[in-house]
Every structure is written in structure tokens, then in C-alpha cells.
Amino acid sequence: MKEQKNNPMTYQEAIKYIDKVNVYGSVLGLLNTKELLKRLGNPQDQLKFIHVAGTNGKGSVCSYLGSILANAGYMVGRYISPTILEYRERIQLQRKQTNTFISEEEVGCFIGRIKNVIEGMVREGLPHPTPFEIETAMAFLYFVEKQCDIVVLEVGLGGRKDSTNVITTTICSVITSISMDHMKMLGDTIEKIAYEKAGIIKENVPVVTYEQKEEARKVIEEESKKKHSKVYSMSLDEIQTVEYSFQGTTFDYREDKNLEIHLLGENQVKNAALAIEVIHVLIDLGYSISKKDMREGLFLTKWPGRFEMIKEKPWFFIDGAHNKDGARSLRKSIEIYFTNKRIIYIMGVLADKDYHSILKDTAPYADTIITLTPKNPRALSSDKLAKAARNYCSHVIDGKTVKDAVNIGIKLAKQEDVILAFGSLSFLGDIYRYFGVE
């Protein structure tokens, strides 16, 4: 099937088209993605990938890897989801000390090209691709055009049946921390979820994994054995001499001493250690990455919305903790950074999340909880979250919107207090815009 002639769109037309095809939702499976990419000339086959799956930490690990590889002189493509700042954030190009999003013009051009192909598919009776399938195709086309040396590719959901798993040129598979999330789609046990995540493992391709719970570890090792792939595991015990501050964190990992990262949160040292393991595997594969490249890359890594301080007096932090495992990590960060501080929460969650578990883990540290409704079709209403929060905290306010919730929080807080906004990544961009943070 020949690809039809391109018909470029404006950026606004492209976004309107993506919004329109949202009716097709999120569908796990590879057949439609493969068909779409085949008609586009299989651009993914011209790229090399580090493929990253997991429940928590994917974005942070991808950020560390992209920064280190770019610092070593490689042209790095990054594909992420969900986004916080804006739509174009999902497709990025990283070069040494520069990070750019796909341009509006390029979005219009690629979406116009893809739309023409989709119209042909639909005329032949094939299913209409979902937004994520379309965006995955756009990312591959963009990375080929930019002649990326390597693509750090984040799985959207699960792994085995995720659209990104159409790739066949993976050089390293990475599995971050696995916990219970998206159970309706991935299964109701750690073993089932791990099986879906381990679906990204390819024949004779090295696998680097977080130090998993025993149930997940066994599944990953079994799937790797089937694919004749060697497994490398990050070791939590090898993380030593950790020192936390609002300015950053220093730590030792194995033979690498006094490493420094600027991403805050107790989990970020673990994510950085996993990235270091991946870099050592890439070096063994022949990639030219020096100790200096790795050290500087870690130091320069930025990743918005992950236990990030965006304001002082009062302290205002935002975090993407949206499931039970993320809440536990957030609780540990609160214990590290906010000892003897009065803390005001601003919370918004999606209805399909285990928000009772999130509240149970985090609410004991809150003086006040202010709820809001994220701008997301899957959002839990602020009044329902407030009702649930009152089971765990005596002072709960239904803030309804992001703007009102932030206004209430700032009005309540004294200069030495902490405001902590978390629960869903989908409303953090609105908080950035509230404070004029780009």
C-alpha cells in the first residue's frame, strides 16, 4: 500500500483533529499501529531504542538517560506521556545542553501526512487509530527526520500490547519500579502486571531492571530467559552516603562516588542508580560515554512535576504521585524534607485511581487538605475527593478548581509553611501557568 500525498495542517487543525479522534480512546494491541506504520514506510526500523516500561519512575529514568547521552554528544529523541507543560512536550530532541520540543509547524505537517494514510485505512474498513497510535507514528517520523542516534522511548501503558512495542531495533530494555496500577487493563496481581511490563523484552537484548519485589523479579527473569536476554539489576544496597537538601541530592552508587542530582525526592536517587546501570550496559555495547559525561548528565537533568519546588515563602512543591507506590515515596520525601513543617495539601485525582490508599499514606502529615477537580474526562470530582479525605484529615476544603484551590492554599499558608500539590499530573501544568512558570 503506497502512502498518499501529504496534506499539511496548521498546528491548530492538527490539535483539533487529535481531540476529535479521542473518541477512539485507548486501545491496547499492536495490529493497528503496525498497519499505520507500514503505510508510513516503517520509520521505526531506521532508529535505535532504549525502551522503558514500569509503574513509577519511567519519566525520571528517561530524563537521566537522555541528559547523559546528549551530554556524551549523541542526538537523542524522547517520547513521553503524559505531558505537563504543553502538547508538544511529548516529542523532544535532546542535544548537548539543549532540549527542544517538536515545533508547531512539524506537528501540523506530520499529522496531516498521517491523517491522509488513516483515511485510506478507514475506507478499507480498518479501525481508526487512536490518538496515542497517531502520536507514536508522529514521533517515529520526527526522530527519523532529525537523524537521532538513539531514542529513549517511554511506554504509554503496560508494555506487551502498548503501541510503542512495535519496535524491533531495541538496544536495551529497561523496567522501572513495578507496583499496582491500571489493574483493569493490566491485571490484579504484581505477577500479571510484571508480565505485561516484561513484554518489551526482545530476543538477545539486555534488560536492566529496578530491584523489584520478588513476585515481579521472577516474572522478569523468566521472560528474559525465554528471550535469551541477560538481566542486569540495580541494587538498593549499593546506594550509599545520601545527603538531601532543597538544592539537590548527593550520593554514591557502586564505584561512582559523590554523584549529584538536582531532581528532589527520595525516589530520585533510585531512579538515577537505575539510569547508571543502563549507561554501563550501553558502554559495554560500544557507546562512547565517559564518567564525566555521566556525572555531568545526571547533574544537568531536569524533569518537571516530580517533587519540584516552584515557589518560596511559603514553600510550594508539586509532585506527580498518583498511585499507592507513588504515595509511599511521597510520604518518605515528606519525612526527609518537611520535618516539623505545617503542610497544606492541594489534591486532585483521577476516578480510576486508588485514592483511598493515597490518602491513607499521605494524609497523616497534612494540616489541611484542599481538593480540586482536574481537567480530565477521567477526573474524580473535588467534592467526592473531599468526602473521602475527611476520613483521614479533620480539616478538608473543597477548592473545586485549580485556581481556587491554589488561592485558598496561599491564603492559609504562613511564610514558613509548605504547600504540596499532588495526585495527578493532569493539573500540574495549570499550577505552572498560575505562577507564570515556563
Side-chain angles (χ1 to χ4, degrees):
M1 179 65 62
K2 289 185 178 180
E3 182 185 339
Q4 296 181 26
K5 187 177 179 181
N6 189 18
N7 184 20
M9 295 176 159
T10 65
Y11 179 68
Q12 290 72 26
E13 289 170 339
I15 295 302
K16 189 178 292 186
Y17 173 69
I18 290 294
D19 288 342
K20 181 180 178 181
V21 301
N22 260 319
V23 296
Y24 301 104
S26 176
V27 180
L28 291 180
L30 305 182
L31 288 179
N32 223 32
T33 309
K34 286 182 176 179
E35 181 62 30
L36 175 60
L37 289 168
K38 178 183 175 183
R39 294 173 182 234
L40 289 166
N42 284 321
Q44 74 280 7
D45 291 345
Q46 301 175 53
L47 300 164
K48 299 294 182 185
F49 296 94
I50 300 173
H51 203 188
V52 183
T55 306
N56 291 303
K58 294 191 299 294
S60 298
V61 171
C62 288
S63 294
Y64 288 124
L65 291 172
S67 181
I68 293 168
L69 288 164
N71 199 59
Y74 293 99
M75 180 77 78
V76 183
R78 282 191 56 207
Y79 180 45
I80 66 171
S81 62
T83 61
I84 294 177
L85 302 172
E86 63 162 298
Y87 179 83
R88 297 183 299 117
E89 181 186 359
R90 68 196 63 232
I91 300 174
Q92 304 183 16
L93 195 67
Q94 277 187 275
R95 290 163 286 191
K96 194 159 189 171
Q97 298 188 1
T98 63
N99 187 22
T100 56
F101 299 166
I102 185 172
S103 71
E104 292 187 357
E105 183 181 359
E106 287 164 329
V107 170
C109 181
F110 287 124
I111 293 295
R113 178 178 172 188
I114 293 166
K115 179 176 179 287
N116 283 338
V117 170
I118 289 173
E119 288 172 348
M121 292 173 63
V122 172
R123 281 196 298 270
E124 295 173 30
L126 296 172
H128 196 297
T130 66
F132 189 70
E133 290 171 328
I134 294 168
E135 288 156 358
T136 300
M138 174 167 58
F140 293 155
L141 290 168
Y142 176 78
F143 296 144
V144 168
E145 183 173 287
K146 297 302 180 182
Q147 298 181 322
C148 288
D149 300 307
I150 193 164
V151 174
V152 181
L153 185 67
E154 182 180 336
V155 165
L157 177 62
R160 187 173 302 277
K161 298 177 183 178
D162 185 76
S163 291
T164 63
N165 205 31
V166 296
I167 60 175
T168 59
T169 53
T170 307
I171 59 171
C172 184
S173 304
V174 183
I175 302 177
T176 68
S177 173
I178 294 175
S179 60
M180 303 296 286
D181 200 8
H182 299 293
M183 284 85 81
K184 290 183 180 179
M185 302 284 278
L186 304 179
D188 57 1
T189 67
I190 287 291
E191 290 90 345
K192 290 177 181 177
I193 293 172
Y195 176 75
E196 293 303 320
K197 308 290 186 186
I200 69 167
I201 297 170
K202 301 293 189 292
E203 190 77 24
N204 290 312
V205 173
V207 180
V208 182
T209 179
Y210 190 86
E211 188 177 297
Q212 307 286 357
K213 297 170 185 173
E214 183 68 11
E215 309 96 301
R217 183 188 63 79
K218 286 183 178 179
V219 172
I220 292 168
E221 289 181 349
E222 287 170 4
E223 293 303 301
S224 298
K225 187 175 181 181
K226 291 177 186 176
K227 297 292 178 66
H228 310 98
S229 299
K230 187 173 180 179
V231 179
Y232 301 81
S233 182
M234 176 269 275
S235 173
L236 293 174
D237 290 339
E238 296 282 356
I239 299 173
Q240 302 288 335
T241 325
V242 183
E243 295 185 10
Y244 299 98
S245 76
F246 279 179
Q247 286 68 49
T249 307
T250 59
F251 66 102
D252 300 339
Y253 184 67
R254 299 195 194 276
E255 71 275 12
D256 297 305
K257 308 299 182 184
N258 200 34
L259 299 165
E260 185 175 358
I261 56 175
H262 283 158
L263 299 188
L264 305 181
E266 68 86 27
N267 58 317
Q268 288 300 345
V269 172
K270 303 169 188 177
N271 292 331
L274 180 57
I276 290 168
E277 291 288 352
V278 176
I279 293 301
H280 286 311
V281 168
L282 295 180
I283 291 170
D284 289 342
L285 291 173
Y287 284 82
S288 179
I289 307 165
S290 69
K291 291 281 188 182
K292 183 173 179 287
D293 294 329
M294 185 179 73
R295 187 174 294 274
E296 290 181 353
L298 289 171
F299 180 82
L300 293 169
T301 299
K302 297 178 181 178
W303 186 224
R306 277 65 176 182
F307 202 73
E308 181 182 8
M309 182 180 70
I310 60 173
K311 183 184 179 300
E312 299 180 31
K313 296 181 180 181
W315 303 101
F316 199 116
F317 280 74
I318 58 176
D319 188 70
H322 62 279
N323 55 34
K324 189 172 182 178
D325 212 39
R328 286 175 177 168
S329 180
L330 179 59
R331 182 187 67 199
K332 292 176 185 177
S333 294
I334 290 169
E335 292 169 350
I336 291 168
Y337 293 94
F338 302 150
T339 305
N340 299 322
K341 292 281 188 182
R342 175 175 175 251
I343 310 173
I344 297 168
Y345 289 176
I346 295 175
M347 286 188 66
V349 299
L350 302 186
D352 57 357
K353 298 299 180 181
D354 185 3
Y355 51 90
H356 281 283
S357 290
I358 296 172
L359 285 163
K360 186 177 180 181
D361 274 330
T362 59
Y365 300 89
D367 173 87
T368 302
I369 297 177
I370 306 166
T371 63
L372 60 84
T373 306
K375 292 178 182 177
N376 187 298
R378 292 159 48 212
L380 181 74
S381 65
S382 59
D383 61 322
K384 288 185 178 179
L385 180 59
K387 182 179 179 180
R390 290 187 182 104
N391 294 315
Y392 306 94
C393 179
S394 59
H395 191 205
V396 177
I397 301 170
D398 180 0
K400 301 189 184 301
T401 68
V402 172
K403 182 179 179 180
D404 288 344
V406 174
N407 283 337
I408 293 168
I410 291 174
K411 187 175 180 179
L412 289 175
K414 297 177 181 178
Q415 286 197 346
E416 65 273 15
D417 293 338
V418 173
I419 302 171
L420 176 59
F422 69 98
S424 172
L425 289 168
S426 61
F427 73 86
L428 299 186
D430 290 329
I431 292 181
Y432 278 109
R433 286 182 280 276
Y434 178 98
F435 289 110
V437 177
E438 296 297 333

